[in-house]
Amino acid sequence: MINFMVELSKRSVVSPGSATPSARWGGKYNVYEIYTGKRPQNTYWTDWGGAYDNEETNKLEIYMDGWLYHAGTIEELKAAAAPAMYVDGNYIYINIPKHPWLYKDNECSMNKRDGYLYAPKNSGNPSDLYIDGSLYETRLDIPSISVKLSSPLSGLTRNSTFSATLANNDGKFDGEDSQEYFNAPMYIRKTTRDNPAYTDFITIREGLVEDIAITQESAEITSAEKYRSFDEPVCKAAEEIENKSLPVIFGRCVMPLIEIEETEYIEKDVDLDNDIDGIDDIDKKEDDTVTMKGAYLAGEGVRAVVGNAVYAEGDVGDIAIPCAFDSETGIITVEETKKKYTLTGVDKNGKPIYGTNAKTPKPKYVIVDGYLKNKTGQIVTALVERSGRLQYNESNWDVDETDGYIEQSPAVNIAFTGGDIKAAVAAVLKSDMAFLIQKNDGRLTLRKWGDAYDEHSIASWQLTQQPQKSFSDAQQNYFSSCVIKYGYNEYKKAHENQYRYADKADEAEGRYLKKVEKVFETHLTNETGAKNLASRLGNRFCELKDRMSAGVGVDTSEYNLLDTVFLKIDVNGRKYSNNDKWIIVEADPAQDKLVLEEA
């Protein structure tokens, strides 16, 4: 038996601002507690007319200037750098950066989770609607979940959404205020057990509610995945510069200089300054000087200025100008003094003739070393943490899998000059044909095309729908050769190097009678990285690989994108493909539908 549960989070009248400091650890941690057990009866407080207002359930979501993430253990909660919560029996413990009573009313909320089922939890007793003491009515239709890979070419993350539909024939939701659910957590869970406990339901999707459409027959709730909410800006405003944000720099980048104050030229006439007669003697010009002074920023994360120099553009070539760098403030200062004149000869009267020297040109760019951890995986996890709500830990990430990706991911030199975190993540991953994926259990992970992940076997008799085969997606992405551009110069807004890949060109052009060359722009640092990327792109797109879509009669709750599926598609003696090894590129873990690409 397959059953589904949806849980929605509706705002409670109780505020988490009433949380009290927890004495459980003697005040050693910034942890507060909320009691969620039964309200006491016949106490001194109630005898005097008082009342208890706590929620009598621990199925709660808490917002404190952002949704608190669920820590997996109490130790994780105590160590959490981002606001977090942990449920322990009748108590919810929260770790937040300031006292709960300091949050304004519009900065905090407690939301109670209401749940609904697809079918009665107990087929032998359909009237039993309670699970762990909470009511779960049977109103849910089979959920619809769309899980797709990002575009394999651009690296852009698709804004996947999912929805759940609840029966409303009796008008239960007619008077509901949809705004009580907006932007609040929503979960879809699945079980294959009859008469399941709450813990038997496996989370197959979670996100934040975007819309609720209510009709006489139904209420349809649409939710967005976690990483659709990464709309915070990457760059932060700098105090030193008005109306500007600082670029965020990873690795070694060529950056345009940002003036803190306007660059100035200070002229010094030595003779005029020292001569008591106040007359500038034209014969004494050799010591006159011009000093160029300036203070600049390159961006956030700068560890060093390469060569201790900034650069100006010259007629013949770029000119290096010595500079000083303050690693604490990130400020680059230039102060260069040059002689204003050069003696070029004498006139017929023996008077010196001076030529005016060119001033030190205004510097335009600098080569800097930004944040040290500049592998693609390191940058993505840092960007996600930058949102302030998804710390890199085992509750939010598949840490083992992501660490494995980080270890072998390539280094990139990249500077983010604007945009949101979502766009920044996509810009990084396109250099490695890699994907930020939210797994069915809600955790994030980083995976790369061509690497091996979990394997699953499905027998052909377990197909529940007639399979459909196509290579239209492969045709759109096909190429016989490609060019990988690398070594991006942020100042010039151009790539300085490129690598052309044509290892499979003759074979592809001969087989498909089609010659196509595509260009891929990256932030890779060297030719080795460009070759590796080109090889993986070629292995996938120099061949028109089949895609197969089909429904299956197995529970796909734990089937994730880029997993491998072994399946011989042979239905009643009709063989749809000679291939028996596939990669998951799209899935619906609720309705057990898969879209597979030939491995």
Side-chain angles (χ1 to χ4, degrees):
M1 174 184 176
I2 297 178
N3 205 350
F4 298 94
M5 172 194 291
V6 63
E7 287 190 307
L8 307 173
S9 307
K10 184 178 181 181
R11 181 167 294 189
S12 167
V13 295
V14 181
S15 170
S18 61
T20 56
S22 177
R24 184 169 176 177
W25 300 281
K28 291 183 179 179
Y29 302 93
N30 195 33
V31 175
Y32 303 83
E33 64 183 40
I34 299 171
Y35 176 69
T36 62
K38 292 294 182 182
R39 297 170 185 168
Q41 303 291 326
N42 302 320
T43 66
Y44 180 83
W45 172 247
T46 58
D47 289 344
W48 277 89
Y52 296 91
D53 62 355
N54 63 281
E55 287 286 359
E56 295 181 305
T57 176
N58 61 15
K59 295 182 176 65
L60 299 170
E61 302 291 336
I62 296 175
Y63 182 95
M64 307 289 279
D65 201 22
W67 293 107
L68 274 59
Y69 85 85
H70 289 259
T73 65
I74 197 69
E75 295 303 318
E76 182 184 318
L77 175 82
K78 291 190 291 184
M85 60 182 287
Y86 177 75
V87 179
D88 189 5
N90 289 332
Y91 286 89
I92 294 178
Y93 297 95
I94 60 175
N95 186 337
I96 49 180
K98 62 183 181 181
H99 299 308
W101 51 86
L102 296 179
Y103 288 84
K104 299 176 183 178
D105 289 344
N106 64 329
E107 293 178 329
C108 61
S109 173
M110 184 183 293
N111 285 37
K112 180 181 177 182
R113 294 202 303 269
D114 296 322
Y116 303 92
L117 297 178
Y118 166 66
K121 71 156 189 173
N122 186 351
S123 59
N125 183 12
S127 62
D128 182 6
L129 302 178
Y130 286 83
I131 301 177
D132 286 2
S134 298
L135 177 66
Y136 287 84
E137 297 179 351
T138 53
R139 292 180 176 271
L140 177 64
D141 197 357
I142 295 179
S144 172
I145 298 177
S146 175
V147 188
K148 296 181 180 180
L149 279 183
S150 313
S151 164
L153 299 179
S154 67
L156 295 175
T157 303
R158 287 189 179 173
N159 296 333
S160 298
T161 60
F162 59 97
S163 63
T165 302
L166 302 172
N168 190 39
N169 303 81
D170 59 353
K172 176 180 175 64
F173 301 103
D174 288 356
E176 284 283 5
D177 183 357
S178 301
Q179 296 181 13
E180 295 293 317
Y181 298 94
F182 177 72
N183 200 45
M186 168 179 166
Y187 301 88
I188 293 182
R189 312 187 200 272
K190 180 180 179 181
T191 185
T192 56
R193 292 191 178 186
D194 190 24
N195 197 20
Y198 183 81
T199 53
D200 291 326
F201 284 87
I202 299 172
T203 301
I204 59 174
R205 223 67 190 149
E206 64 175 280
L208 301 176
V209 171
E210 282 199 332
D211 184 42
I212 299 180
I214 299 174
T215 68
Q216 289 186 330
E217 291 78 27
S218 66
E220 184 177 9
I221 304 97
T222 302
S223 183
E225 292 185 87
K226 276 184 180 177
Y227 57 89
R228 188 170 185 178
S229 304
F230 294 166
D231 54 1
E232 296 89 349
V234 178
C235 304
K236 298 177 182 177
E239 295 179 0
E240 298 87 351
I241 47 178
E242 190 175 350
N243 300 322
K244 279 190 178 181
S245 298
L246 275 182
V248 183
I249 304 169
F250 291 85
R252 178 166 292 185
C253 293
V254 182
M255 299 298 300
L257 287 167
I258 303 169
E259 282 188 312
I260 298 176
E261 296 177 358
E262 188 171 349
T263 303
E264 60 178 339
Y265 291 88
I266 304 170
E267 297 190 7
K268 184 175 181 63
D269 191 317
V270 176
D271 177 59
L272 188 62
D273 289 347
N274 297 327
D275 198 337
I276 60 173
D277 63 10
I279 301 173
D280 186 8
D281 191 340
I282 197 169
D283 295 341
K284 299 178 180 179
K285 291 293 187 183
E286 57 265 20
D287 293 328
D288 291 359
T289 60
V290 177
T291 300
M292 189 269 287
K293 294 182 69 175
Y296 313 91
L297 291 170
E300 178 193 325
V302 175
R303 295 178 293 113
V305 172
V306 177
N308 295 316
V310 293
Y311 296 87
E313 296 176 343
D315 294 334
V316 178
D318 291 351
I319 303 166
I321 305 169
C323 70
F325 173 65
D326 187 328
S327 59
E328 291 188 4
T329 63
I331 294 175
I332 302 167
T333 54
V334 176
E335 184 171 342
E336 184 175 66
T337 300
K338 293 179 64 174
K339 286 184 178 293
K340 189 174 181 180
Y341 304 102
T342 298
L343 181 65
T344 60
V346 294
D347 63 13
K348 62 182 180 180
N349 299 317
K351 294 284 187 179
I353 300 172
Y354 294 95
T356 302
N357 296 325
K359 295 179 180 179
T360 300
K362 187 176 179 179
K364 296 292 186 179
Y365 69 91
V366 64
I367 305 171
V368 297
D369 286 329
Y371 284 118
L372 181 64
K373 296 182 178 181
N374 66 321
K375 288 187 171 185
T376 55
Q378 292 171 324
I379 297 173
V380 170
T381 53
L383 288 170
V384 172
E385 281 198 317
R386 199 175 179 86
S387 70
R389 291 288 163 178
L390 284 172
Q391 190 178 358
Y392 187 65
N393 56 38
E394 292 182 351
S395 293
N396 295 319
W397 289 84
D398 184 333
V399 171
D400 290 340
E401 190 169 88
T402 306
D403 280 350
Y405 170 77
I406 290 173
E407 184 177 352
Q408 50 85 41
S409 63
V412 293
N413 295 330
I414 188 169
F416 303 105
T417 57
D420 57 23
I421 289 173
K422 186 167 53 181
V425 167
V428 175
L429 294 178
K430 72 177 184 179
S431 291
D432 196 32
M433 205 177 174
F435 306 90
L436 174 64
I437 294 170
Q438 184 182 2
K439 302 181 79 170
N440 292 338
D441 62 9
R443 294 179 300 163
L444 296 172
T445 190
L446 287 170
R447 291 183 165 190
K448 179 169 70 175
W449 188 273
D451 284 359
Y453 300 102
D454 294 342
E455 296 181 349
H456 314 276
S457 294
I458 301 174
S460 58
W461 60 266
Q462 291 176 306
L463 293 170
T464 59
Q465 294 179 342
Q466 181 177 342
Q468 296 181 356
K469 182 173 70 172
S470 170
F471 57 81
S472 60
D473 288 288
Q475 188 173 358
Q476 287 179 348
N477 299 318
Y478 165 83
F479 63 79
S480 53
S481 62
C482 71
V483 173
I484 308 294
K485 292 190 174 184
Y486 64 97
Y488 186 72
N489 185 314
E490 185 65 41
Y491 173 65
K492 295 181 179 179
K493 300 293 184 185
H495 292 84
E496 296 179 340
N497 299 290
Q498 66 180 35
Y499 169 75
R500 185 174 184 273
Y501 172 85
D503 291 6
K504 296 177 179 287
D506 291 344
E507 178 184 353
E509 292 166 17
R511 183 175 182 182
Y512 302 113
L513 304 179
K514 190 174 184 180
K515 184 176 182 178
V516 177
E517 182 162 286
K518 291 193 173 181
V519 177
F520 300 91
E521 296 183 347
T522 76
H523 287 272
L524 292 166
T525 64
N526 54 51
E527 187 175 281
T528 299
K531 284 182 177 180
N532 290 337
L533 176 60
S535 178
R536 277 185 287 112
L537 286 166
N539 287 338
R540 186 178 183 190
F541 297 125
C542 286
E543 182 179 347
L544 298 180
K545 295 190 175 184
D546 288 338
R547 279 201 178 188
M548 192 76 66
S549 59
V552 296
V554 297
D555 181 14
T556 60
S557 299
E558 298 183 1
Y559 287 40
N560 289 291
L561 297 176
L562 294 188
D563 280 359
T564 298
V565 173
F566 292 95
L567 169 62
K568 291 183 178 180
I569 305 180
D570 189 339
V571 181
N572 296 328
R574 298 178 63 178
K575 197 170 185 179
Y576 285 76
S577 174
N578 293 322
N579 185 61
D580 62 0
K581 184 179 180 181
W582 307 85
I583 304 297
I584 299 175
V585 294
E586 187 176 338
D588 185 336
Q591 302 193 25
D592 296 323
K593 294 179 180 179
L594 299 173
V595 177
L596 307 170
E597 183 174 309
E598 183 180 342

